[in-house]
Amino acid sequence: MQTNIKQCSWEHTIKYRLIFPVMLLFACSGAFAQTPSPPPYTFGFIPASISETDFSFPLVKKWKLDGEVDLQFVTQGSYDNGNPFAYGQRFVIRPWISYSGLKNMKFWLGYAHNKKYEIKEAGNYETLERRLIVMGSFAQKMPKGSLFQQIRFETKFFDDREGIDRVIPRVRARVGFNHFLRQDNPKAWLKTPNVSYYMELMLKFADKDYAPNRFDIFRQSVYYSAGLTKNLHALAGVIAQMQLRTNGTQFDIYYGPIFSLRYSITPKERETFDNVDGGAD
């Protein structure tokens, strides 16, 4: 009798020892099924358009100093609106002073007055952003085009959506290529046409309570440009960029058309638009 009791007790012990881990496993799997881990990043797609007009003029010819004023208007849609012209995103006035006294190099000093508009559908708030900009580019002539590299240091001054003053330095590095198209007809309406491509990386250096990541924007653009006259040149193309929002988990993908007109008092045989801003941030 004692043997049966011991055997029964032993069998119950084995059963409980087997059942408990199984029940715990089901409970844990049920808990994980109810609260899945969120993905590390989410993506939103926003159509946008950039229109820019530039006017350049000589300042001091013997010092190779020129002036330039850019006017830019950016429009966009929202995450569920495919119209890149649905809302006005921002209007920019940007004066420059440039120096071109070194071979294949050019330097700019600029200021940007950047008025951003509220777009509730896209989560944009209204603010005024100012930028101080120092920029330099280096170009290499190719048999049928040119290769260029550009570095830009800028500091952004603005109030965030909580009304806190923010000062955010940013570094931008761009590399691009211009392919000079063959022009058989000298009487063609469009003069010295080009097909150009560039890609650009931007890193921001903000306080951790505002933006935990250094990465800001990666941008690419392909465009066609040509001269209407020796003083007036035009650009038309497309842009695509990936921008990380300040929450550190949301990537916004901007895409859409870009247009630019550039008028120069000093005639130019060819204009390649190496420093076109093309921004939708």
Side-chain angles (χ1 to χ4, degrees), residues 57-67:
F57 48 91
L59 286 178
V60 185
K61 288 187 177 181
K62 66 177 182 178
W63 293 347
K64 304 293 184 180
L65 290 177
D66 296 304

Side-chain angles (χ1 to χ4, degrees), residues 44-64:
F45 295 86
I46 302 175
S49 77
I50 301 103
S51 301
E52 185 173 312
T53 301
D54 306 336
F55 175 70
S56 62
F57 48 91
L59 286 178
V60 185
K61 288 187 177 181
K62 66 177 182 178
W63 293 347
K64 304 293 184 180

